[in-house]
Amino acid sequence: MAVEMRKGRYGKFGGQYVPETLMSALIELENAYGEAKADPKFKEELDYYLRDFVGRENPLYFAERLTEKVGGAKIFLKREDLNHTGAHKINNSLGQALLAIRMGKRKIVAETGAGQHGVATATACALFGLECVVFMGKEDIRRQELNVFRMELLGAKVVSVDKGSGTLKDAVNEALRYWVANVEDTHYILGSALGPHPFPEIVRDFQRVIGVETRRQIVEKEGRLPDAVVACIGGGSNAIGMFHPFVEDEGVALYGVEAAGSGVETGLHAAAIADGKEGVLHGAYMYILQDEDGFIQEAHSISAGLDYPAVGPEHCHLHDIGRVKYEAVTDAGALEGLQLLSRTEGIIPALESAHAIQFAVELAKGMGKDQIVVVCLSGRGDKDMQTVRDVLGGGVE
Amino acid sequence: MKTLEKRIRECNEEGKKAFVPYMMAGDGGLGTLKDKLLFLQEAGVTAIEIGIPFSDPVADGEAIQQAGARALAEGVTLRNVLEELERCKGEVAVPLVVMTYLNPVLAYGVPQFVEACQRAGINGLIIPDFPLEESGPLRNELRGTDIAWIPLVSLTSPDERIARIAESAEGFLYAVTVNGITGTRNDFGEDIYSHLQRVKRISAVPVLAGFGISTPVQVKEMGDNTDGVIVGSAIVEAFHRDELDKIRELAGTSSGKIEIVN
């Protein structure tokens, strides 16, 4: 039987489950994106900003001391933390801001969890002179106070969301409500590979630069493709950007690392592939943490950026077909990875990326010295210093 | 023709506009549901829209969000609301419309959900996050039942899209009157009436206006340009504050029992 190919579907995942008021905006966005993709000037302009403003391409760095310490496969780090604003989020924010301008929309709304997407979007809006409103959960504002100040300094208006758990999910709800009310002159810059079609595709395409550069760089350095590629997953934007150019390379194992919080068995986690069920949230059919009545459950993770109860639709499909293996690392594991990388390489990773680091270390241990593991170091850890200090203690004696 | 559409047409033929109040199931406890339904029936409403609480109600404003949160705290779910409605079946004669977000329906299982709706005597279904492109499988399940599929059209829907959505509609077509979420409004866009009249011209089924309608004057004016109105947040708040006269007044406006002096 022929499978009905519906728009914006990854296997059975994805789709467009939104209020009717947004349908026209999604169709407009889909058309505008189609035209932009076909326009060489759009790519030229985006490439210019990625190079001269973001600082791409960023290095693929051989983590020699970490490799030695682990004693297994060679570990390489894709340094998205070196981007302007400190994470991979800027790749997507810039692309979508240029798209908004093409559509004649000069007002932007965004959600943010850790604040990295909010900062990246506020930055893109400052760069292009766009109005910017960012919704952020109250709990995340507490965890990421400095990022709130950064956004405000960049001219954005930050709105606190105290509903639900006051985290990323609730911020997306409010951003969607705001977009419905302001859809005629406002573009929603969704920050992860989530939401209704065409967002998962747009975000993936703007983040693909991570994997495209990595593929070229590893071949330049090592003369071959890596044996494994590892990235952390909240909604999954850095991971899908990293994985996508490798999906057809059968010899490259792909690992997505979810946040296991206090442990998947405790129920206090954000591991939607490990422990979620299929359903619809924020416009897409995905794996979601939910109870038996279909109410969405709160996610739990030390890292605000992974604190989301679902995983983007393309990841759900890659899981179903077995192309990507999804694993989970706890809060404690992430803290371990963060400290290890800090001390062996002088790089303090974001708590999100630390999940990937920790898993990659365990993976590399069991691999041969001639093998290669690449980790997406999606962001830097400065924003997390307060959280990490609260847990680890410390300070000057 | 399904019962819901028949009732709305009968109401219109009597020279009245349909009046459909929205209430949050289980706000104040599931035990109050039947009394509220009977009260609304007594007030002469055309049909009742019963909202199911959800953890992430993205189409709703403050009043309904808070009512939903209160109902969730009472342990209200799609499943126990339908069970309670099944128990009320003999006494409630007015058509009932269930409004729920999609995920609880998926968790229930679409065929099982439709069966439960039939057992409970539900006459219509509104799922705001289930647009035309996606809702086909559920619409197929509703064929041959007396449950009407009630889609929404918005101010941003182009005419050809309104036509396609209207074609899928049974019972009535829900015309959203604002770009935004539910909740009371003082002002509507100035071209709202011409929009509603256009939707009415396109649609073969009755058109009811909803979102933001909260006062007798708004009920009258929106009703003048459609086949009826849906009032949500104002009813939810009136029930919460125990201001039942307000509900009687709103229901009376639409049935022509109360004259509006502008």
Side-chain angles (χ1 to χ4, degrees):
Chain A
M1 196 178 80
V3 177
E4 188 193 354
M5 284 305 291
R6 278 193 287 168
K7 216 170 49 169
R9 289 278 167 173
Y10 306 91
K12 60 183 162 183
F13 300 100
Q16 293 180 307
Y17 300 90
V18 294
E20 174 61 21
T21 306
L22 293 181
M23 283 305 297
S24 295
L26 293 178
I27 293 164
E28 179 192 6
L29 179 59
E30 189 183 352
N31 293 336
Y33 181 59
E35 284 166 24
K37 258 201 305 197
D39 180 356
K41 279 197 195 120
F42 181 79
K43 189 179 171 345
E44 228 170 76
E45 195 178 10
L46 180 57
D47 284 349
Y48 162 76
Y49 286 108
L50 288 177
R51 186 181 64 240
D52 287 6
F53 185 72
V54 176
R56 301 201 77 97
E57 72 180 38
N58 56 41
L60 180 69
Y61 168 72
F62 175 44
E64 197 172 351
R65 291 229 315 136
L66 179 66
T67 299
E68 252 170 54
K69 173 118 188 158
V70 171
K74 284 183 169 180
I75 301 172
F76 285 82
L77 306 175
K78 179 57 175 166
R79 299 293 307 274
E80 292 299 310
D81 63 317
L82 293 179
N83 291 341
H84 177 44
T85 71
H88 69 290
K89 294 292 186 186
I90 190 76
N91 304 331
N92 170 53
S93 293
L94 274 179
Q96 284 203 48
L98 288 171
L99 203 51
I101 295 167
R102 270 180 89 96
M103 291 189 290
K105 295 187 173 182
R106 302 202 62 91
K107 293 181 183 174
I108 299 297
V109 60
E111 85 295 338
T112 197
Q116 291 305 104
H117 174 59
V119 168
T121 301
T123 299
C125 289
L127 174 65
F128 299 125
L130 308 176
E131 263 181 58
C132 182
V133 178
V134 179
F135 288 91
M136 186 168 184
K138 201 177 170 187
E139 168 65 13
D140 289 339
I141 286 181
R142 187 189 65 73
R143 288 191 279 195
Q144 304 289 348
E145 225 182 311
L146 271 180
N147 267 344
V148 176
F149 184 64
R150 288 166 82 192
M151 286 183 265
E152 287 173 348
L153 209 54
L154 290 159
K157 185 179 162 204
V158 181
V159 183
S160 171
V161 179
D162 57 6
K163 287 164 188 145
S165 53
T167 60
L168 182 54
K169 163 179 89 90
D170 310 291
V172 175
N173 287 344
E174 280 309 302
L176 280 170
R177 290 184 183 116
Y178 181 92
W179 194 31
V180 172
N182 297 279
V183 64
E184 289 182 1
D185 62 357
T186 302
H187 175 60
Y188 180 17
I189 300 192
L190 195 71
S192 196
L194 295 168
H197 174 71
F199 280 110
E201 180 186 328
I202 290 176
V203 176
R204 176 198 72 205
D205 288 354
F206 287 141
Q207 295 295 0
R208 264 185 110 251
V209 65
I210 303 172
V212 168
E213 287 180 7
T214 300
R215 211 169 181 285
R216 187 175 62 238
Q217 289 169 317
I218 196 71
V219 170
E220 279 166 15
K221 284 177 193 292
E222 295 288 312
R224 67 179 186 91
L225 293 177
D227 298 285
V229 175
V230 180
C232 67
I233 299 213
S237 72
N238 89 85
I240 202 70
M242 178 56 122
F243 294 164
H244 202 258
F246 291 103
V247 164
E248 302 297 322
D249 301 313
E250 281 174 23
V252 181
L254 303 174
Y255 295 94
V257 185
E258 297 192 284
S262 307
V264 173
E265 70 290 349
T266 65
L268 299 175
H269 60 82
I273 286 187
D275 200 33
K277 287 188 297 247
E278 292 170 23
V280 164
L281 177 67
H282 297 148
Y285 194 76
M286 309 178 277
Y287 285 111
I288 303 167
L289 299 178
Q290 55 182 309
D291 67 15
E292 57 184 19
D293 290 304
F295 298 143
I296 311 304
Q297 289 175 322
E298 290 173 13
H300 296 269
S301 170
I302 191 171
S303 98
L306 303 184
D307 211 347
Y308 184 77
V311 167
E314 193 163 8
H315 285 295
C316 296
H317 178 59
L318 290 169
H319 167 73
D320 268 21
I321 62 172
R323 178 61 188 98
V324 179
K325 289 197 182 75
Y326 292 86
E327 308 281 347
V329 164
T330 61
D331 290 350
L335 282 166
E336 221 175 284
L338 180 140
Q339 292 173 87
L340 179 64
L341 190 68
S342 301
R343 289 180 189 178
T344 54
E345 294 292 345
I347 299 170
I348 302 176
L351 274 170
E352 290 78 11
S353 323
H355 287 74
I357 296 291
Q358 180 63 11
F359 177 77
V361 163
E362 294 302 323
L363 182 70
K365 260 183 206 165
M367 294 169 68
K369 293 197 173 182
D370 55 340
Q371 292 190 291
I372 300 168
V373 175
V374 172
V375 189
C376 186
L377 188 59
S378 56
R380 68 180 182 220
D382 308 45
K383 69 184 174 59
D384 294 315
M385 288 305 92
Q386 187 70 46
T387 306
V388 174
R389 190 174 64 178
D390 287 350
V391 180
L392 297 181
V396 181
E397 283 176 25
Chain B
M1 187 182 295
K2 294 188 177 179
T3 302
L4 180 63
E5 182 175 347
K6 218 179 293 171
R7 289 290 179 85
I8 293 170
R9 289 192 181 281
E10 284 165 9
C11 173
N12 289 161
E13 277 156 21
E14 289 170 29
K16 297 185 297 187
K17 298 298 180 176
F19 181 81
V20 179
Y22 167 101
M23 57 173 293
M24 174 59 73
D27 182 13
L30 205 50
T32 68
L33 180 58
K34 187 166 108 183
D35 285 347
K36 285 176 180 162
L37 294 175
L38 292 174
F39 168 81
L40 291 170
Q41 178 167 284
E42 188 67 19
V45 305
T46 318
I48 301 169
E49 185 184 343
I50 301 170
I52 307 294
F54 184 52
S55 51
D56 297 81
V58 291
D60 285 308
E62 274 307 318
I64 293 178
Q65 282 181 45
Q66 284 175 14
R70 290 192 296 267
L72 286 176
E74 298 270 356
V76 175
T77 66
L78 176 58
R79 188 176 295 270
N80 61 27
V81 171
L82 289 175
E83 285 165 4
E84 178 65 17
L85 290 174
E86 196 178 341
R87 284 191 284 272
C88 305
K89 216 172 164 182
E91 291 166 77
V92 180
V94 65
L96 302 180
V97 173
V98 164
M99 174 340 233
T100 175
Y101 288 87
L102 179 58
N103 202 54
V105 174
L106 298 177
Y108 204 124
V110 169
Q112 294 87 340
F113 166 71
V114 172
E115 274 171 35
C117 284
Q118 285 184 283
R119 281 200 303 275
I122 301 302
N123 301 98
L125 192 53
I126 299 171
I127 305 182
D129 53 352
F130 213 13
L132 183 68
E133 284 76 359
E134 306 287 357
S135 56
L138 176 59
R139 283 185 272 130
N140 286 340
E141 290 281 335
L142 296 181
R143 270 194 207 135
T145 72
D146 195 32
I147 305 168
W149 172 250
I150 302 160
L152 294 88
V153 294
S154 76
L155 297 174
T156 58
S157 313
D159 283 5
E160 59 81 27
R161 190 174 165 83
I162 291 174
R164 280 190 290 134
I165 293 170
E167 238 168 78
S168 75
E170 303 167 312
F172 66 87
L173 181 61
Y174 193 136
V176 176
T177 52
V178 294
N179 281 342
I181 51 182
T182 60
T184 58
R185 300 273 194 302
N186 293 324
D187 295 307
F188 293 87
E190 49 185 273
D191 42 8
I192 182 64
Y193 299 134
S194 60
H195 167 78
L196 290 173
Q197 286 164 12
R198 195 168 67 244
V199 174
K200 234 177 98 55
R201 276 198 302 276
I202 296 171
S203 174
V205 297
V207 174
L208 270 61
F211 276 41
I213 302 170
S214 61
T215 67
V217 174
Q218 290 169 345
V219 168
K220 168 88 170 59
E221 289 177 354
M222 290 292 178
D224 284 347
N225 293 281
T226 55
D227 301 304
V229 297
I230 299 151
V231 177
S233 298
I235 301 281
V236 166
E237 285 191 331
F239 267 131
H240 182 55
R241 295 186 190 141
D242 210 19
E243 296 169 341
L244 300 184
D245 282 344
K246 269 197 182 163
I247 300 175
R248 286 193 194 95
E249 186 192 5
L250 286 163
T253 310
S254 181
S255 62
K257 285 183 201 154
I258 293 174
E259 280 297 305
I260 298 289
V261 184
N262 278 328

